[in-house]
Amino acid sequence: MNTAEKIIIYQVFTRLFGNRNPRCMSNGSLAENGCGKMNDFTPQALKEIRKLGATHIWYTGVLAHATQTDYTKYGIEKNHPAVVKGKAGSPYAIRDYYDVDPDLAVNVRKRMGEFEALVERTHAAGLKMIIDFVPNHVARQYHSTAKPEGVRDLGEDDDTSMDFSPNNNFYYLPGQKLAGDVNLYDEQAGSYEEMPAKATGNNRFDAYPTPNDWYETVKLNYGVDFFHNTGCHFSPAPDTWHKMKDILLFWAGKGIDGFRCDMAEMVPCEFWGWAIPQVKAQYPELIFIAEVYNPNEYRNYLYNGHFDYLYDKVGLYDTLRAVIGGYASATAITSCWQSVNDIQDHMLNFLENHDEQRIASDFFAGNATKALPALIVSACMNTNPMMIYFGQELGEPGMESEGFSGRDGRTTIFDYWSIDSIRRWNNHGRYNEHLLNAKEKGLRHFYRHVLNLCNSEAAIARGCFFDLMYANLNGWQMNEHKQYAFLRKYDREVILVVANFSDLDSRISVNIPQHAFDYLQMPAFTRCTAQELLTGREEVISFNPNTPTAIDVPAYGGKLLKIKF
């Protein structure tokens, strides 16, 4: 990895990105609503994503997953609608680990070739490529038709008379039929039959999942006996470990640059500690990102699981969301970095992803502008990676009722749909701003400016961080509940960063303590000229421990004042 580069990930839901249909109907089929393709990521589209400041692109939903669309004429078995969420299906209910989702191909029979071409185009645009790896669960009707010769399918050799065996790939409920509070009947397909029932993906070890469970998935068995509490059976390495390692190696061999590992903490850390070093032995530049929500497990999955990066969801994301919403103080941001100070470089920051509600939705801030100070903090506070979700830079509200997902402030991952803001930015393949309104253009320019600063400014890309909040808690020089201030320093440059979460333009004074000058080895100035990086203008300020630095900061904005010495 290029450690001098700050990673900026652009997450995109692949099937929605290129769909240009402006008249999608709720719960519409592929034929009715259309679907974006891998080929929609043209050199021009990728060039614009790169210009936004992205260094990596995460193509979400590439692996073949269960769907209600009929692809039987291509040799793909049809899925029962009762165990598929939405017409398009969840991208986390994998039906074939060795296949590309046919929805994404212009020529279904050549879908793997189209994927390989996408890898090449992505790299040609100067971007690195991340895809999902979904290790904890698969679709109920998992069956690989694309697996390499000699590969045994998941469950193919299982002893279904045993609820648990370290040699099985699944957990079973012998003698029990899948039932529960889920409608397993479809008028055309009839009843879905599963006998014996398999354990459900969200660790439901009975035959009675509910609609709130991940009922469309089955749990994979990594050698942990959940039935009899006999512990972990990891020696010899269970069969599932070998199968999943081979899947990782298969996709690594396609030339991708990283895996975002779904619900990694639901898979034993011992598996990751066994598999990742073996994969990196052949592909040392690959990065592994873990979706882990338990802070008590962070260091385990980093040090013993060998992950490169972890989601910073329950810390920084949750805190910034609360500050944006006005029900937490900006002072709470300090405790976020303090709790992970020893592993800060490994935390992935974000304000949106496919699981979270859109900032501009009625369920979050109702206005994308309110999150701009949080963007400054999240992107500029340290050297660790930053991620944005496609449409975030345009203020996409996610307030449509697409079908299965309902109107929940999230962009659907279950339905065939078209994203209004992305569609207009697409502008029939031109990828320009001609069809965007003034607010959307302003947001995109702001995102582009901040995200590019992350790598154009050495102090942000690889500099030291110093939190100034402890010296600014008096409440009269700055409102510590609405403003957050810190320094970034590299070589003979320092950037004073102030984020303003208030809806008012504010005149504030920031105390910079003597300890900051000593720790960062900076000279003090009674008066000096600083360049404001968001506007390019110069400002004359004081920069010393004896005189507070007076700054005018705009509402829902901030300033990055760069001083050279």
Side-chain angles (χ1 to χ4, degrees):
M1 289 179 290
N2 178 11
T3 54
E5 179 183 65
K6 181 177 172 74
I7 292 174
I8 307 294
I9 300 172
Y10 189 81
Q11 183 196 1
V12 59
F13 200 78
T14 314
R15 86 158 79 102
L16 302 181
F17 178 80
N19 190 1
R20 301 176 190 172
N21 182 3
R23 297 180 181 84
C24 291
M25 61 179 67
S26 182
N27 208 37
S29 66
L30 173 63
E32 292 166 330
N33 285 1
C35 183
K37 308 296 180 182
M38 290 180 284
N39 285 1
D40 290 317
F41 292 91
T42 62
Q44 177 63 24
L46 293 168
K47 177 183 176 182
E48 291 300 318
I49 292 170
R50 183 71 181 95
K51 285 167 62 177
L52 188 65
T55 61
H56 293 61
I57 183 168
W58 165 18
Y59 294 103
T60 305
V62 165
L63 300 187
H65 54 268
T67 178
Q68 293 190 38
T69 301
D70 187 353
Y71 285 105
T72 52
K73 67 179 180 180
Y74 300 103
I76 300 171
E77 295 179 4
K78 192 173 182 179
N79 298 120
H80 195 288
V83 287
V84 178
K85 289 181 176 177
K87 286 290 195 293
S90 168
Y92 297 101
I94 304 300
R95 64 153 186 83
D96 190 340
Y97 276 119
Y98 286 102
D99 203 358
V100 174
D101 197 78
D103 281 348
L104 305 178
V106 173
N107 185 331
V108 173
R109 298 191 191 281
K110 296 183 178 180
R111 56 193 180 276
M112 187 59 77
E114 291 186 24
F115 173 81
E116 291 165 348
L118 177 61
V119 176
E120 293 181 6
R121 285 198 306 280
T122 301
H123 290 159
L127 290 161
K128 294 182 179 179
M129 181 171 179
I130 298 170
I131 66 169
D132 289 289
F133 177 57
V134 187
N136 176 67
H137 49 269
V138 296
R140 285 213 173 263
Q141 293 179 295
Y142 182 91
H143 174 62
S144 177
T145 58
K147 62 184 184 295
E149 186 177 353
V151 172
R152 303 291 289 176
D153 215 358
L154 286 168
E156 187 173 349
D157 301 314
D158 281 6
D159 182 350
T160 61
S161 69
M162 302 181 67
D163 51 13
F164 168 78
S165 167
N167 297 316
N168 282 352
N169 299 135
F170 299 117
Y171 296 95
Y172 296 91
L173 289 305
Q176 298 183 59
K177 180 179 176 181
L178 183 68
D181 187 23
V182 178
N183 184 9
L184 298 177
Y185 177 78
D186 178 79
E187 193 170 305
Q188 292 183 331
S191 295
Y192 173 73
E193 303 283 343
E194 186 176 294
M195 179 71 180
K198 302 183 185 75
T200 299
N202 60 319
N203 288 4
R204 179 107 195 201
F205 295 97
D206 58 46
Y208 308 99
T210 73
N212 293 324
D213 290 309
W214 304 347
Y215 64 84
E216 82 282 20
T217 69
V218 290
K219 173 82 173 178
L220 281 169
N221 172 9
Y222 283 81
V224 181
D225 183 0
F226 290 97
F227 288 102
H228 311 290
N229 297 316
T230 61
C232 301
H233 300 255
F234 296 160
S235 182
D239 182 69
T240 302
W241 288 27
H242 291 280
K243 284 185 166 69
M244 302 309 276
K245 181 198 71 175
D246 290 344
I247 291 162
L248 288 167
L249 288 169
F250 173 83
W251 290 104
K254 298 293 181 182
I256 67 165
D257 303 287
F259 293 99
R260 178 268 186 187
C261 299
D262 183 70
M263 296 308 298
E265 67 180 335
M266 294 185 74
V267 172
C269 190
E270 290 84 351
F271 163 73
W272 300 113
W274 174 87
I276 290 177
Q278 292 184 70
V279 175
K280 285 197 171 191
Q282 296 186 44
Y283 303 96
E285 298 301 313
L286 271 179
I287 64 172
F288 284 79
I289 302 170
E291 184 183 19
V292 176
Y293 297 125
N294 181 359
N296 293 327
E297 288 294 320
Y298 284 175
R299 290 155 187 82
N300 188 25
Y301 278 79
L302 283 175
Y303 301 141
N304 298 320
H306 299 287
F307 275 97
D308 297 290
Y309 304 105
L310 311 176
Y311 270 35
D312 198 346
K313 195 274 182 191
V314 300
L316 190 62
Y317 169 83
D318 284 350
T319 299
L320 287 175
R321 176 165 179 158
V323 176
I324 293 167
Y327 44 90
S329 168
T331 58
I333 299 170
T334 297
S335 62
C336 292
W337 68 259
Q338 288 177 334
S339 67
V340 293
N341 192 34
D342 59 318
I343 55 171
Q344 181 67 65
D345 290 349
H346 299 281
M347 304 307 293
L348 172 63
N349 296 351
F350 58 86
L351 297 173
E352 283 190 1
N353 64 40
H354 67 279
D355 286 318
E356 308 300 340
Q357 290 167 326
R358 292 286 194 173
I359 294 164
S361 75
D362 296 348
F363 300 92
F364 190 161
N367 179 354
T369 303
K370 292 183 178 181
L372 295 183
L375 172 68
I376 292 171
V377 172
S378 194
C380 301
M381 193 166 71
N382 224 302
T383 59
N384 51 300
M386 173 67 184
M387 180 173 73
I388 68 167
Y389 191 37
F390 81 130
Q392 178 182 338
E393 74 279 19
L394 301 173
E396 172 59 40
M399 286 300 294
E400 297 168 304
S401 182
E402 305 100 332
F404 183 87
S405 67
R407 191 170 183 267
D408 60 0
R410 297 176 177 86
T411 292
T412 180
I413 65 170
F414 306 108
D415 305 286
Y416 294 112
W417 202 253
S418 175
I419 308 303
D420 175 64
S421 58
I422 290 291
R423 187 178 65 247
R424 286 184 287 107
W425 172 65
N426 177 313
N427 193 12
H428 303 283
R430 297 180 180 90
Y431 295 98
N432 55 40
E433 297 184 347
H434 293 342
L435 299 182
L436 300 179
N437 61 42
K439 183 175 181 180
E440 291 166 333
K441 290 178 183 178
L443 278 167
R444 192 169 189 276
H445 290 175
F446 193 93
Y447 270 84
R448 179 175 173 176
H449 204 139
V450 171
L451 295 177
N452 276 282
L453 285 174
C454 288
N455 273 308
S456 65
E457 294 296 330
I460 299 175
R462 51 189 181 275
C464 298
F465 164 78
F466 192 97
D467 192 318
L468 295 172
M469 295 305 286
Y470 79 95
N472 290 277
L473 299 178
N474 51 43
W476 61 274
Q477 290 180 323
M478 66 177 273
N479 182 349
E480 70 269 25
H481 303 304
K482 292 294 185 180
Q483 282 108 33
Y484 184 72
F486 58 93
L487 298 170
R488 298 298 309 278
K489 191 257 185 183
Y490 183 80
D491 198 17
R492 298 181 62 82
E493 296 179 349
V494 63
I495 301 173
L496 170 59
V497 183
V498 179
N500 183 22
F501 292 87
S502 172
D503 60 353
L504 299 174
D505 296 340
S506 303
R507 175 75 169 176
I508 66 171
S509 296
V510 181
N511 289 314
I512 304 174
Q514 182 64 50
H515 178 56
F517 290 90
D518 296 339
Y519 179 78
L520 297 176
Q521 298 181 319
M522 303 182 300
F525 301 98
T526 302
R527 286 169 59 87
C528 66
T529 300
Q531 181 187 16
E532 207 292 293
L533 297 177
L534 294 177
T535 62
R537 302 190 187 108
E538 290 187 345
E539 297 187 18
V540 177
I541 62 172
S542 62
F543 190 73
N544 65 78
N546 301 315
T547 307
T549 303
I551 306 173
D552 292 305
V553 286
Y556 297 136
K559 283 193 172 179
L560 287 80
L561 294 166
K562 178 180 176 180
I563 302 162
K564 295 184 178 182
F565 48 86

